[in-house]
Amino acid sequence: MRMANREALREFQSRLTERLSAARSTGLAASWLAVEAAQRNFLFPLAQSGEIFPWTGSQPVPYTRRWFLGVSNLRGGLYGIVDLGNYLQEATPAAEPAREQARLVALSPALNVSCALLIDRLIGLRGVDAFVESAPAASDAPAYFGSRYADAQGLHWQEINLQLLSQQPQFLSIGA
């Protein structure tokens, strides 16, 4: 049973990677990569998202914030690994996610930040047509939060501008 689940996840990830590549090359087919972190739904702009990797762990770095998990070698490049759920909930520790569905989403090379975000679950690609309602970010939201969306199933989604996130002083200050 576990092997079948792993194979299904690998196939899903493979199909998603192909669709992500196709969406980038054709333009407007999809606008966001939909993910879950800290039991919330997020949208990453495709142009700011990089490659998706399975979670295999990382090398811890001492004296860093708890949301900075360490560094990992991803296809020959050294990336800092940020647990997105813990980063967003710094004041309240996030529950440890089930790591079997966890993925790393690297930031686009165009952002010039060798970083990957650990997410709890990869959901898929979303376009504007997937949503029935949108609103600007709340007035007290972090600067990197974009618009908020709702889909036909009543699920709420928060867009995260990965470029703005990667430029935040807190994000860049990993020291404890």
Side-chain angles (χ1 to χ4, degrees):
M1 181 70 162
R2 281 192 108 177
M3 192 61 132
N5 286 343
R6 285 186 184 160
E7 285 301 314
L9 283 172
R10 283 189 188 121
E11 288 176 24
F12 171 73
Q13 184 174 355
S14 176
R15 286 191 315 272
L16 184 59
T17 301
E18 290 170 11
R19 288 181 59 202
L20 186 59
S21 296
R24 282 194 183 124
S25 63
T26 59
L28 303 174
S31 299
W32 297 284
L33 179 63
V35 304
E36 181 184 316
Q39 301 174 354
R40 291 179 60 194
N41 297 320
F42 295 101
L43 300 169
F44 296 163
L46 283 181
Q48 299 172 2
S49 303
E51 195 167 350
I52 300 165
F53 300 93
W55 169 245
T56 58
S58 61
Q59 280 298 117
V61 175
Y63 308 111
T64 58
R65 296 182 188 253
R66 67 179 173 76
W67 47 261
F68 187 78
L69 300 179
V71 294
S72 189
N73 181 340
L74 304 174
R75 288 201 201 267
L78 191 61
Y79 287 78
I81 307 299
V82 172
D83 182 332
L84 182 63
N86 277 328
Y87 179 81
L88 295 173
Q89 299 179 9
E90 178 129 29
T92 307
E96 185 71 14
R99 295 288 191 212
E100 63 192 34
Q101 292 186 29
R103 296 288 180 265
L104 295 173
V105 178
L107 300 186
S108 170
L111 301 181
N112 292 320
V113 179
S114 294
C115 177
L117 301 175
L118 176 67
I119 54 149
D120 299 339
R121 187 168 68 99
L122 193 60
I123 297 172
L125 299 175
R126 296 291 186 273
V128 175
D129 59 337
F131 303 103
V132 295
E133 186 180 313
S134 70
S139 60
D140 61 345
Y144 52 85
F145 272 18
S147 296
R148 297 175 293 170
Y149 296 90
D151 62 21
Q153 291 77 35
L155 295 175
H156 296 277
W157 300 82
Q158 176 64 62
E159 181 180 29
I160 293 184
N161 183 318
L162 297 176
Q163 182 173 12
L164 288 177
L165 173 66
S166 71
Q167 296 170 353
Q168 295 298 305
Q170 179 186 357
F171 189 82
L172 296 171
S173 301
I174 62 169

